[in-house]
Short mmCIF file of all heavy atoms in Angstrom, two decimals:
data_model
loop_
_atom_site.label_atom_id
_atom_site.label_comp_id
_atom_site.label_asym_id
_atom_site.label_seq_id
_atom_site.Cartn_x
_atom_site.Cartn_y
_atom_site.Cartn_z
N GLY A 203 11.89 26.39 -16.56
CA GLY A 203 12.47 27.14 -15.46
C GLY A 203 13.15 26.19 -14.51
O GLY A 203 13.76 25.20 -14.84
N TRP A 204 13.06 26.57 -13.25
CA TRP A 204 13.71 25.82 -12.16
C TRP A 204 12.72 25.67 -10.91
O TRP A 204 11.90 26.59 -10.74
CB TRP A 204 14.97 26.62 -11.76
CG TRP A 204 15.72 26.07 -10.63
CD1 TRP A 204 16.57 25.04 -10.55
CD2 TRP A 204 15.59 26.45 -9.16
NE1 TRP A 204 17.02 24.87 -9.25
CE2 TRP A 204 16.43 25.74 -8.44
CE3 TRP A 204 14.78 27.45 -8.60
CZ2 TRP A 204 16.60 25.91 -7.00
CZ3 TRP A 204 14.94 27.67 -7.20
CH2 TRP A 204 15.80 26.93 -6.40
N ASN A 205 12.83 24.70 -10.20
CA ASN A 205 12.07 24.53 -8.94
C ASN A 205 13.02 24.07 -7.79
O ASN A 205 13.93 23.18 -8.02
CB ASN A 205 10.91 23.61 -9.23
CG ASN A 205 10.16 23.30 -7.89
OD1 ASN A 205 10.73 22.64 -6.96
ND2 ASN A 205 8.89 23.83 -7.81
N SER A 206 12.74 24.58 -6.55
CA SER A 206 13.68 24.31 -5.55
C SER A 206 13.61 22.93 -4.88
O SER A 206 14.53 22.48 -4.24
CB SER A 206 13.42 25.38 -4.38
OG SER A 206 12.15 25.24 -3.91
N TRP A 207 12.54 22.24 -5.17
CA TRP A 207 12.20 21.02 -4.33
C TRP A 207 13.24 19.90 -4.42
O TRP A 207 13.77 19.30 -3.39
CB TRP A 207 10.79 20.50 -4.51
CG TRP A 207 10.39 19.38 -3.50
CD1 TRP A 207 10.34 18.06 -3.83
CD2 TRP A 207 10.22 19.51 -2.13
NE1 TRP A 207 10.09 17.40 -2.55
CE2 TRP A 207 10.08 18.32 -1.58
CE3 TRP A 207 10.18 20.76 -1.22
CZ2 TRP A 207 9.74 18.15 -0.28
CZ3 TRP A 207 10.00 20.51 0.07
CH2 TRP A 207 9.69 19.27 0.52
N ASN A 208 13.41 19.51 -5.64
CA ASN A 208 14.30 18.28 -5.87
C ASN A 208 15.60 18.29 -5.27
O ASN A 208 16.16 17.30 -4.69
CB ASN A 208 14.45 17.90 -7.36
CG ASN A 208 13.17 17.33 -7.93
OD1 ASN A 208 12.15 17.15 -7.16
ND2 ASN A 208 13.11 17.11 -9.19
N LYS A 209 16.24 19.39 -5.20
CA LYS A 209 17.61 19.49 -4.62
C LYS A 209 17.56 20.15 -3.25
O LYS A 209 18.23 19.61 -2.27
CB LYS A 209 18.49 20.59 -5.56
CG LYS A 209 19.83 20.84 -4.93
CD LYS A 209 20.68 19.60 -5.07
CE LYS A 209 22.02 19.92 -4.43
NZ LYS A 209 22.88 18.66 -4.37
N PHE A 210 16.81 21.15 -2.94
CA PHE A 210 16.92 21.90 -1.67
C PHE A 210 15.84 21.50 -0.68
O PHE A 210 15.99 21.60 0.50
CB PHE A 210 16.76 23.30 -1.91
CG PHE A 210 17.83 23.98 -2.69
CD1 PHE A 210 17.83 24.01 -4.16
CD2 PHE A 210 18.96 24.60 -2.12
CE1 PHE A 210 18.92 24.44 -4.80
CE2 PHE A 210 19.98 25.04 -2.85
CZ PHE A 210 19.99 25.00 -4.20
N ALA A 211 14.74 20.86 -1.14
CA ALA A 211 13.57 20.47 -0.27
C ALA A 211 13.41 21.59 0.85
O ALA A 211 13.26 22.74 0.47
CB ALA A 211 13.87 19.07 0.35
N GLY A 212 13.35 21.20 2.01
CA GLY A 212 12.98 22.10 3.07
C GLY A 212 14.08 23.09 3.44
O GLY A 212 13.87 23.97 4.30
N LYS A 213 15.23 23.10 2.86
CA LYS A 213 16.30 23.85 3.19
C LYS A 213 16.42 25.17 2.36
O LYS A 213 17.29 25.97 2.70
CB LYS A 213 17.63 23.15 3.06
CG LYS A 213 17.74 22.00 3.94
CD LYS A 213 19.19 21.59 4.15
CE LYS A 213 19.45 20.60 5.31
NZ LYS A 213 19.21 19.24 4.97
N VAL A 214 15.54 25.32 1.35
CA VAL A 214 15.74 26.46 0.45
C VAL A 214 15.61 27.73 1.16
O VAL A 214 14.70 27.94 1.96
CB VAL A 214 14.76 26.24 -0.82
CG1 VAL A 214 13.20 26.40 -0.27
CG2 VAL A 214 15.03 27.32 -1.80
N THR A 215 16.45 28.82 0.72
CA THR A 215 16.45 30.06 1.35
C THR A 215 16.35 31.19 0.23
O THR A 215 16.57 30.81 -0.84
CB THR A 215 17.63 30.38 2.11
OG1 THR A 215 18.80 30.39 1.25
CG2 THR A 215 17.96 29.29 3.24
N ASP A 216 16.12 32.32 0.78
CA ASP A 216 16.12 33.52 -0.16
C ASP A 216 17.38 33.60 -0.88
O ASP A 216 17.44 33.76 -2.15
CB ASP A 216 15.86 34.70 0.67
CG ASP A 216 16.00 36.07 -0.05
OD1 ASP A 216 17.14 36.46 -0.53
OD2 ASP A 216 14.97 36.75 -0.11
N ALA A 217 18.52 33.37 -0.26
CA ALA A 217 19.79 33.37 -0.83
C ALA A 217 20.05 32.46 -1.96
O ALA A 217 20.62 32.65 -3.01
CB ALA A 217 20.90 33.34 0.24
#
Side-chain angles (χ1 to χ4, degrees):
W204 172 86
N205 173 292
S206 60
W207 188 254
N208 284 355
K209 174 72 186 175
F210 295 84
K213 296 203 169 83
V214 65
T215 64
D216 174 293

